[in-house]
């Protein structure tokens, strides 16, 4: 059987926020500022570039859901052309410009912005990228390996999270240049990744996420859907302080 990409994803407003300002792109499929009650599992051939990305609209700014949806839809529409690291970097710069362009002339959208984190999956290669504090993890037999880089100030000892982000797509009154974090890694059958907004990682420590992902049961697709649900439930049981969006990615064969 040819290698394939399996993605189990969901997006939820959590228990505190009135609206979901997160957006999700999985291949050509998007879920923008919308709530899913169950994980959706999608399958794609491993061949043409396939993007899996989470965008977290900036809370406290107007238009967070507009910015995150714009970026998710751009990545979904153009993902098939992202054939390597340079193409990903260029597309993230275009996404940044697009957020500022959409806010220009719309006073109610002034300074809207979003984070983004994701993967472009290619035969033999995974291109991980992020701007902001949404995250990409590789799921290994030893736990979680973070492959994204948080754009956050250094944390004082004993503090695990911060609401402050030092770099976003949009988010200022004038066009600001971004330096996306992009990392290329080998990709093989059996590899697993987690892409998520900080609504998952702020309330749930990495050790707990790793433990939930280390318990496969049943067929791989069923196990991924169950794991995605368990991750969401852990964030809700920890108070669900923010929108929760996650995508669990696996390379099958």
């Amino acid at each position: 059987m040819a290698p394939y990409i399996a993605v189990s994803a969901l997006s939820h407003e959590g228990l505190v926020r009135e609206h979901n300002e997160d957006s999700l792109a999985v291949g050509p499929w998007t879920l923008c500022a919308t709530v899913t009650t169950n994980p959706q599992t999608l399958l794609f051939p491993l061949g043409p570039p396939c993007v899996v990305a989470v965008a977290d609209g900036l809370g406290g700014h107007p238009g967070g859901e507009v910015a995150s949806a714009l970026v998710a839809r751009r990545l979904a529409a153009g993902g098939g052309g992202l054939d390597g690291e340079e193409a990903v970097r260029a597309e993230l710069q275009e996404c940044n410009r697009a957020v500022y362009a959409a806010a220009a002339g719309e006073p109610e959208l002034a300074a809207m912005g979003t984070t983004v984190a994701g993967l472009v999956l290619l035969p033999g290669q995974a291109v991980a990228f992020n701007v902001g504090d949404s995250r990409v993890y590789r799921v290994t037999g030893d736990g979680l390996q973070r492959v994204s880089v948080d754009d956050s100030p250094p944390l004082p000892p004993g503090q695990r999270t911060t609401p402050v982000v030092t770099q976003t797509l949009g988010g200022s009154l004038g066009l600001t240049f971004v330096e996306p974090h992009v990392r290329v890694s080998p990709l093989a059958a059996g590899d697993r990744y987690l892409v998520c907004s900080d609504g998952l990682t702020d309330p749930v420590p990495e050790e707990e996420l790793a433990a939930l992902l280390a318990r496969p049961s049943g067929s791989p697709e069923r196990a991924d859907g169950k794991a995605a649900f368990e991750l969401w439930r852990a964030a809700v049981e920890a108070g669900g302080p923010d929108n929760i969006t996650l995508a669990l990615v696996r390379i099958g064969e």
Side-chain angles (χ1 to χ4, degrees):
M1 187 174 170
Y4 64 94
I5 302 161
V7 185
S8 295
L10 60 76
S11 188
H12 190 270
E13 76 270 33
L15 300 181
V16 175
R17 301 289 173 88
E18 290 184 16
H19 307 290
N20 189 3
E21 296 190 11
D22 287 359
S23 296
L24 177 70
V26 182
W29 182 81
T30 58
L31 191 69
C32 298
T34 306
V35 170
T36 50
T37 52
N38 291 299
Q40 311 294 309
T41 298
L42 302 166
L43 303 179
F44 303 91
L46 180 60
C50 180
V51 66
V52 180
V54 169
D56 179 353
L58 296 185
H61 290 232
E65 72 283 359
V66 177
S68 72
L70 186 158
V71 169
R73 288 178 178 137
R74 272 196 68 105
L75 290 172
L82 300 179
D83 57 1
E85 179 178 355
E86 289 312 309
V88 171
R89 287 187 186 279
E91 177 58 30
L92 292 172
Q93 297 294 351
E94 289 302 316
C95 285
N96 186 47
R97 280 192 277 270
V99 173
Y100 281 107
E106 298 278 352
E108 68 275 17
L109 298 180
M112 74 172 179
T114 183
T115 72
V116 69
L119 293 164
V120 177
L121 301 157
L122 304 158
Q125 188 179 83
V127 183
F129 61 87
N130 77 286
V131 176
D133 60 356
S134 292
R135 289 182 180 172
V136 181
Y137 291 98
R138 186 157 181 256
V139 185
T140 73
D142 297 325
L144 293 181
Q145 174 192 358
R146 197 188 306 178
V147 291
S148 56
V149 179
D150 283 357
D151 285 313
S152 300
L155 295 176
Q159 186 176 325
R160 199 176 60 80
T161 65
T162 174
V164 179
V165 281
T166 54
Q167 183 172 243
T168 57
L169 302 177
S172 305
L173 289 174
L175 177 63
T176 303
F177 182 74
V178 291
E179 291 192 43
H181 306 281
V182 184
R183 177 186 290 186
V184 180
S185 304
L187 186 69
D191 284 356
R192 298 170 80 204
Y193 283 90
L194 171 65
V195 181
C196 59
S197 64
D198 66 346
L200 176 64
T201 54
D202 277 0
V204 187
E206 287 180 1
E207 309 77 56
E208 188 177 340
L209 297 176
L212 291 169
L213 288 166
R215 299 183 203 151
S217 60
S219 70
E221 274 83 25
R222 181 183 288 268
D224 289 349
K226 184 172 186 294
F229 178 82
E230 295 288 349
L231 293 172
W232 166 80
R233 188 164 70 175
V236 167
E237 287 179 349
D242 198 355
N243 305 149
I244 305 154
T245 301
L246 64 99
L248 192 54
V249 179
R250 184 175 47 80
I251 306 303
E253 61 177 350

